[in-house]
Amino acid sequence: MTETLHSKILGTGTPLLVLHGFLGMSDNWKTLGNQYAEEGFEVHLIDQRNHGKSFWSDDFDYDLLSEDLKNYMEAHHLENAMIIGHSMGGKTAMQFACSYPDLVTKMIIADIGPKFYPPHHQPIINGLNALNLDIITSRNQADSELGKQITDFGTRQFLLKNLYWVEKGQLGFRFNLKVLSEKMNEIGENIGATDVYNGPVLFLRGDRSEYIMPNEISEFRKHFPAAEMDTIDNAGHWLHAENPKQFFEKSMVFLKS
């Protein structure tokens, strides 16, 4: 039996699928999701495999994440949808649109490009694996321990949102840390070399982020001939969280066009 991704569905109208990034979850998009719902979208905030409340699996690559999305749309009887994907979720969206172009009407890719990214999450993975959740009894204690490895407060808060009480006195992570640690190289993988999606695509980059440079749009158009690019001010890689107002405004112009 095919397992279906967990999601939270907000509003009614045009289906809009939202895909979080690596070590994130659907909950990261709740505020923006409610705003899109108020604008006439049926917003599906999706947890990808090994993240959030979705199923865990030893297998993890973009072909599988893309197939998960296809199965999700079938389970929810969605003929097609618009997609917003951030970082890893953007890579999933790109692979999905190239593999199943008839299912995607347009998409927004947030601060990631269709190219290979060298592994760069190792310090975060090391910090998470150093946490002994058998002896940590509070979020504050987890934050204090994680702070020895990860100095950036915002990054720690993002990661610690995944902590939950498995049972009384026992904390656990929503994400599958073991598999994601082993499969980290998959996160930076590119979509297929000859993959193309001809529909409308908007790449949104943070002006302080190094994941996408403005001059790369010509390269991106080899995969996405209709691609446009715009920049979110005063934002790094987590542009939707750092400047949600401008992210919402620019995304709405594109989604409604």
Side-chain angles (χ1 to χ4, degrees), residues 44-85:
H44 295 250
L45 303 179
I46 295 172
D47 286 327
Q48 299 187 82
R49 70 165 62 195
N50 291 323
H51 289 78
K53 294 180 181 176
S54 280
F55 60 88
W56 284 16
S57 166
D58 289 342
D59 300 312
F60 190 82
D61 61 44
Y62 285 116
D63 286 329
L64 289 170
L65 295 176
S66 175
E67 193 181 327
D68 289 343
L69 207 53
K70 177 176 176 281
N71 293 335
Y72 177 88
M73 287 185 69
E74 286 175 359
H76 289 271
H77 310 293
L78 301 175
E79 291 182 14
N80 52 52
M82 299 179 182
I83 304 180
I84 297 175

Side-chain angles (χ1 to χ4, degrees), residues 12-146:
T12 56
T14 305
L16 174 63
L17 313 184
V18 180
L19 301 172
H20 61 78
F22 182 55
L23 301 177
M25 55 181 167
S26 57
D27 206 48
N28 302 146
W29 285 82
K30 193 166 58 178
T31 302
L32 276 167
N34 282 317
Q35 289 179 269
Y36 292 126
E38 287 169 12
E39 293 290 338
F41 291 95
E42 179 182 278
V43 182
H44 295 250
L45 303 179
I46 295 172
D47 286 327
Q48 299 187 82
R49 70 165 62 195
N50 291 323
H51 289 78
K53 294 180 181 176
S54 280
F55 60 88
W56 284 16
S57 166
D58 289 342
D59 300 312
F60 190 82
D61 61 44
Y62 285 116
D63 286 329
L64 289 170
L65 295 176
S66 175
E67 193 181 327
D68 289 343
L69 207 53
K70 177 176 176 281
N71 293 335
Y72 177 88
M73 287 185 69
E74 286 175 359
H76 289 271
H77 310 293
L78 301 175
E79 291 182 14
N80 52 52
M82 299 179 182
I83 304 180
I84 297 175
H86 172 243
S87 199
M88 181 191 86
K91 278 279 181 76
T92 302
M94 286 186 272
Q95 187 60 64
F96 179 73
C98 291
S99 300
Y100 310 105
D102 293 344
L103 299 182
V104 183
T105 54
K106 59 173 66 174
M107 63 178 180
I108 295 173
I109 307 300
D111 214 58
I112 199 81
K115 60 180 182 178
F116 174 76
Y117 289 83
H120 54 281
H121 295 291
Q122 197 63 54
I124 286 175
I125 292 293
N126 291 345
L128 292 168
N129 278 312
L131 291 181
N132 185 350
L133 295 182
D134 290 331
I135 59 173
I136 288 172
T137 56
S138 71
R139 288 174 184 275
N140 284 342
Q141 191 181 354
D143 183 42
S144 176
E145 286 298 310
L146 197 58

